[in-house]
Amino acid sequence: MIPYGTFTFFLIALIVLLPVIILGLMGKRSYIYNGLSTVIMVVIIFSSHKHNLFGISYISTQLVSFIIYIIWQICIIMTYWKSKARRNSFAKFVVVIILSILPLVLVKIIQSSWLGHYQVILHESKVVSFIGFLGISYVTFKSVQLLMEIRDGSIKEVKFWKLIQFISFFPTISSGPIDRYKRFVKDDKKVPTGGEYNDLLIKAVHYIMMGFLYKYIIAYLIQKFAIAPLTLELTTFTGKWLYMYAYSMYLFFDFAGYSLFAIAFSYLYGVKTPENFNQPFKAKNIKDFWNRWHMTLSFWFRDCIYMRSLFYMSKKRMFKSQLLMSNIAFFINFFIMGVWHGLEVHYIAYGLYHGLMFIGYGYYERWKKQHPPKWQNKFTQALSIVITFHFVTFGFLIFSGKLF
């Protein structure tokens, strides 16, 4: 059952979480029931929809895959955590990172259209469904981030059950937002008072209502009355231009609606999962946009790819120019982001497009420091928002695969 995909899911989830809500309003928390409710919801999410009792009468290959994957990641993280105190080896760190992302890499390769005829054979042999499961990317991001923070020494303690709880946290399991281990554990350890939980509950209800508005009303209307008709008009310039706007709006409202659901159900557990969107189409430049759009993913790539690539090049003194190293790090960052979406050409082109925009804007910032604008006002700010919006929406047109 797809998370937040049907009203049945919401009904089941709210029934399962009812004891959590009642205890929360009393200023209490049962870690045993929290764990039990998570198990119930994970089984429902990964079980087959073709069977009775809400689909939980059948142990699907996705559920088996998820369980094996959790065991795999737990073994990697706990082994690295226990061995790090003895020797902080870079080679060991590289090995555990490769092992952690290996299942995701296999899924991306198998799902790639580059495999052509062999892709059909692999799908028919159930390889994809056995290796992969819904949300494998976001669970992998959590694991990789945790391994990096262990290496940095910013995480002082990793507990077995907290680790399982963090990785398998059902509200964000399929598409984020991507939380950080330290922040998650901090919220989990602090039991809110009845009054504090009441405030969280009010916010959760508000987010659920907003999520329904975004995903099931606005996004649905855009899909039905804009995207579907315009799909037939993509042979004309005007059709593609209008499709670019419609598709961009649909992406935002659909994904932002989902994120609001995930945050709301996190709040019901007393966990303040970070926001994912902050009025992204009000961005004044491309850097501002990525500080507003899918923020948890953007910050993950910034911290785990860009910053570490830049640090490695600086440490090895690979180039004399710090600007050149920063530009290469941006290029690597967005190329990997494109590949993560998929190995199809339009996804990779989307990543490279944003990498080039970041690099170009960096040069513009340097030029602007040397040539300060003579006047700035609300009109110039509005103009910068309009220009950024069109660059961003053109990127989404590339992402859609409908540009050519």
Side-chain angles (χ1 to χ4, degrees), residues 207-218:
Y207 282 168
I208 290 173
M209 294 299 102
M210 289 296 295
F212 276 117
L213 173 64
Y214 279 20
K215 185 174 178 65
Y216 289 111
I217 298 178
I218 299 178

Side-chain angles (χ1 to χ4, degrees), residues 241 244-245 353 385-395:
W241 187 267
M244 178 182 78
Y245 293 138
Y353 171 77
I385 292 173
V386 172
I387 293 172
T388 302
F389 173 78
H390 281 85
F391 273 103
V392 166
T393 53
F394 182 74

Side-chain angles (χ1 to χ4, degrees), residues 138 198 403:
Y138 293 91
N198 183 66
L403 179 60

Side-chain angles (χ1 to χ4, degrees), residues 222-386:
I222 293 173
Q223 169 66 33
K224 184 174 182 179
F225 296 105
I227 291 181
L230 288 170
T231 303
L232 304 175
E233 304 292 335
L234 291 176
T235 54
T236 66
F237 175 80
T238 303
K240 284 187 178 181
W241 187 267
L242 295 175
Y243 182 88
M244 178 182 78
Y245 293 138
Y247 184 74
S248 299
M249 293 298 104
Y250 172 80
L251 275 184
F252 168 70
F253 285 108
D254 184 73
F255 199 11
Y258 169 88
S259 296
L260 288 170
F261 291 144
I263 294 169
F265 277 86
S266 299
Y267 279 11
L268 297 181
Y269 278 106
V271 175
K272 300 175 184 177
T273 294
E275 302 280 347
N276 229 3
F277 295 92
N278 180 25
Q279 299 179 326
F281 295 129
K282 287 186 177 181
K284 298 176 183 178
N285 54 66
I286 193 61
K287 289 186 178 180
D288 188 25
F289 172 78
W290 280 107
N291 285 328
R292 294 167 174 267
W293 175 272
H294 204 342
M295 294 184 291
T296 59
L297 178 69
S298 174
F299 298 159
W300 187 95
F301 271 93
R302 179 199 63 192
D303 297 342
C304 297
I305 305 298
Y306 169 75
M307 293 300 297
R308 291 176 187 276
S309 299
L310 182 59
F311 175 77
Y312 181 81
M313 287 187 289
S314 299
K315 183 179 179 180
K316 298 295 182 179
R317 298 180 180 177
M318 297 177 66
F319 303 98
K320 293 182 179 180
S321 170
Q322 186 71 17
L323 176 63
L324 176 60
M325 288 189 288
S326 178
N327 288 341
I328 293 173
F330 277 131
F331 188 84
I332 293 171
N333 179 83
F334 284 101
F335 173 75
I336 294 176
M337 182 183 287
V339 170
W340 166 71
H341 281 100
L343 296 179
E344 287 74 19
V345 175
H346 56 276
Y347 290 135
I348 297 174
Y350 170 78
L352 296 179
Y353 171 77
H354 274 277
L356 291 173
M357 281 205 295
F358 245 79
I359 293 171
Y361 183 74
Y363 282 110
Y364 170 72
E365 281 188 315
R366 290 169 64 88
W367 179 85
K368 193 167 68 170
K369 286 182 180 179
Q370 298 174 355
H371 306 83
K374 296 181 179 180
W375 48 275
Q376 281 186 314
N377 51 40
K378 292 182 180 180
F379 174 77
T380 58
Q381 291 181 355
L383 182 61
S384 65
I385 292 173
V386 172

Side-chain angles (χ1 to χ4, degrees), residues 145-180:
Q145 174 73 31
L146 184 52
L147 288 168
M148 289 183 173
E149 290 180 343
I150 289 174
R151 173 171 171 78
D152 294 342
S154 60
I155 293 182
K156 306 302 180 184
E157 182 182 36
V158 178
K159 291 185 177 181
F160 180 79
W161 290 110
K162 290 294 181 186
L163 181 57
I164 294 178
Q165 183 183 0
F166 171 67
I167 294 178
S168 62
F169 190 56
F170 97 81
T172 61
I173 204 167
S174 60
S175 295
I178 305 167
D179 207 348
R180 305 295 176 97

